Amino acid sequence: MSEDLNQVQVREFQVGDRVSGKVTKVEEKQVLVSIEDSKLDGIVPISELSSLHVEKASDVVSEGDDLDLEVIKVEEDALVLSKRKIDAEKAWEELAAKFETGEVFEAQVKEVVKGGLVVDLGVRGFVPASLVEAHFVEDFSEYMDLTMSFKIVELDKEKNRLILSHRAVVEQEKGKQKQALLDKIQPGKILEGTVQRITDFGAFVDIGGIDGLVHISQLSHQHVDKPTDVVKEGQTVTVKVLSVDRDNERISLSIKETQPGPWANINEKASKGSVLEGTVKRLVSYGAFVEVLPGVEGLVHISQISHKHIATPFEVLKEGQQVKVKVLDVNENEQRISLSIKELEENPEEEYKNYELPEEPKGFQLGELFGDKLKNFKN
């Protein structure tokens, strides 16, 4: 038995051998371990405890811990060992599997450095600033010691390169939420949203994790020159879903469809017989369309333009001209208003009809009428 024990105690170790050890003492800059089947003590320098920078050995291990180690140097009375190498070897295998499957995992931020964050995964993982969040972050100090979810976006064991991304996880989650919302949302639904971006052709509104477009033509019942005349970024708006294109992930929205139209209660705003002022918007062969209220146009039929006969409205009116009109008829359901210009003008023919001729003299003689002519005839 003692013979066997002596053989184990004098066993020679080679660089690269793997051994198991128990921590017997933790010093500031190194750790002492007892090695199974060996009379030699093991020393793990602080630089070989972790792939990250370590201030104190006690930050990584405690007395009594069992460690898997690799021999990196054989000295006369001790073995110099590395925990970092074994951890890295195991880590690369696990990380390669995570990278292959696109697995999302959690890890704690160990360092905040210039240009990003550092995570300990058995090997040093780096998170570039651009891959931390989907939005710009100016100060990363609050991320220290924070546990976050990551995906591996680049892995190269030979170059000891491991790039992680939290942004990819955030965008993946947003993508799932977006798809769920696209599956759920239906045309005709009324929602509340927040204006995210404004362009020349409309406004993009966030309706709970997905943006929809309110085209400039759907911002208001009135004509809109610039979307910024109607909405601003950050504004909360009520929108109606017009259409959903799930394949292209596009949603068309409308603000004006949620608001009372210009024709609502038109019977009160432009009652029959009322006189309004408007602008000639269009001239056609059969009359003129006059805007009497924002978004409300009525027709002045050619027969209602003037008391005198005209061949075309162009003889009397021009686009952009301000005119006074009288409401002849209103139909809210059909959104039609009949107007008249001539009803507000005097009719020259009526004035002529009302004109009284002077009374003719009575009892006159033919001689009085033809006297001079008869005299000449006699001569």
Side-chain angles (χ1 to χ4, degrees):
M1 182 74 178
S2 61
E3 236 176 56
D4 292 341
L5 185 60
N6 287 335
Q7 284 177 359
V8 172
Q9 288 174 340
V10 295
R11 174 188 165 191
E12 292 187 3
F13 291 91
Q14 302 293 326
V15 172
D17 287 348
R18 291 191 174 192
V19 299
S20 296
K22 184 181 286 290
V23 177
T24 57
K25 189 177 182 182
V26 179
E27 298 179 353
E28 187 177 356
K29 297 299 180 183
Q30 65 180 17
V31 173
L32 303 182
V33 296
S34 61
I35 307 299
E36 289 182 6
D37 305 327
S38 173
K39 65 178 182 180
L40 297 175
D41 289 328
I43 298 172
V44 185
I46 193 170
S47 61
E48 293 298 325
L49 284 173
S50 171
S51 59
L52 303 180
H53 174 72
V54 178
E55 290 291 337
K56 297 180 296 181
S58 58
D59 292 339
V60 180
V61 296
S62 302
E63 196 171 311
D65 287 351
D66 291 316
L67 305 177
D68 290 325
L69 305 161
E70 182 178 319
V71 177
I72 57 173
K73 190 176 182 182
V74 180
E75 296 185 342
E76 203 171 304
D77 55 350
L79 297 175
V80 181
L81 307 165
S82 173
K83 175 179 179 296
R84 177 179 63 83
K85 282 182 172 289
I86 296 295
D87 290 346
E89 196 61 38
K90 288 180 181 177
W92 281 118
E93 291 178 11
E94 294 173 0
L95 292 169
K98 284 182 170 65
F99 182 49
E100 189 72 25
T101 60
E103 181 183 336
V104 175
F105 54 91
E106 291 192 341
Q108 188 180 39
V109 176
K110 292 294 185 181
E111 293 179 38
V112 175
V113 296
K114 184 178 180 180
L117 310 174
V118 175
V119 177
D120 183 14
L121 296 170
V123 295
R124 186 178 188 273
F126 181 60
V127 189
S130 61
L131 298 182
V132 175
E133 298 286 3
H135 57 272
F136 174 73
V137 178
E138 189 170 352
D139 183 11
F140 289 104
S141 59
E142 293 182 2
Y143 287 78
M144 185 65 186
D145 296 325
L146 189 65
T147 298
M148 303 174 68
S149 51
F150 297 100
K151 280 183 74 173
I152 300 170
V153 294
E154 190 177 337
L155 183 148
D156 190 332
K157 182 181 175 182
E158 299 302 319
K159 295 181 180 178
N160 200 36
R161 182 176 174 82
L162 179 67
I163 305 298
L164 309 175
S165 173
H166 175 66
R167 175 178 176 172
V169 178
V170 172
E171 291 177 344
Q172 179 177 297
E173 190 57 36
K174 278 187 177 179
K176 289 179 181 177
Q177 292 174 357
K178 187 175 184 179
Q179 193 57 52
L181 187 58
L182 278 168
D183 293 339
K184 181 181 177 183
I185 198 168
Q186 296 295 329
K189 197 167 186 180
I190 304 296
L191 303 167
E192 273 210 346
T194 305
V195 178
Q196 293 295 312
R197 287 185 298 124
I198 298 176
T199 66
D200 291 340
F201 54 84
F204 287 92
V205 176
D206 180 0
I207 51 174
I210 186 170
D211 287 354
L213 172 65
V214 181
H215 190 266
I216 189 170
S217 63
Q218 292 296 327
L219 287 170
S220 173
H221 288 289
Q222 300 178 33
H223 174 73
V224 178
D225 289 320
K226 301 190 304 261
T228 48
D229 292 338
V230 183
V231 292
K232 60 183 179 180
E233 289 185 5
Q235 181 181 345
T236 300
V237 292
T238 302
V239 293
K240 180 179 179 180
V241 180
L242 298 181
S243 65
V244 182
D245 182 346
R246 291 179 174 83
D247 293 333
N248 295 306
E249 298 186 350
R250 290 177 183 169
I251 299 176
S252 296
L253 305 171
S254 174
I255 291 175
K256 81 174 184 181
E257 293 263 333
T258 66
Q259 300 171 341
W263 288 87
N265 302 318
I266 194 65
N267 289 309
E268 297 175 12
K269 295 183 285 188
S271 58
K272 185 175 179 179
S274 60
V275 176
L276 305 171
E277 194 163 302
T279 305
V280 177
K281 288 294 185 179
R282 289 177 294 135
L283 294 174
V284 292
S285 60
Y286 54 86
F289 286 94
V290 177
E291 186 179 53
V292 291
L293 293 166
V296 176
E297 292 182 10
L299 173 65
V300 181
H301 190 268
I302 190 169
S303 63
Q304 291 295 328
I305 292 176
S306 176
H307 288 288
K308 64 182 182 180
H309 174 74
I310 57 172
T312 68
F314 297 91
E315 295 176 26
V316 181
L317 301 172
K318 60 182 179 180
E319 291 182 0
Q321 182 178 343
Q322 297 294 308
V323 292
K324 280 190 176 181
V325 292
K326 182 178 179 179
V327 179
L328 300 180
D329 189 42
V330 184
N331 190 321
E332 184 173 336
N333 293 331
E334 295 182 9
Q335 296 188 354
R336 292 171 61 184
I337 299 182
S338 296
L339 305 171
S340 174
I341 293 175
K342 78 175 188 180
E343 288 273 321
L344 300 176
E345 297 175 346
E346 290 185 0
N347 186 346
E349 291 183 10
E350 288 296 325
E351 188 177 338
Y352 174 75
K353 284 177 185 177
N354 294 331
Y355 178 76
E356 293 185 6
L357 290 172
E359 189 174 339
E360 293 181 1
K362 296 179 181 178
F364 61 87
Q365 300 294 322
L366 285 173
E368 293 175 4
L369 184 61
F370 300 107
D372 292 339
K373 292 188 180 292
L374 288 171
K375 285 179 185 178
N376 293 332
F377 181 73
K378 287 177 181 178
N379 293 330

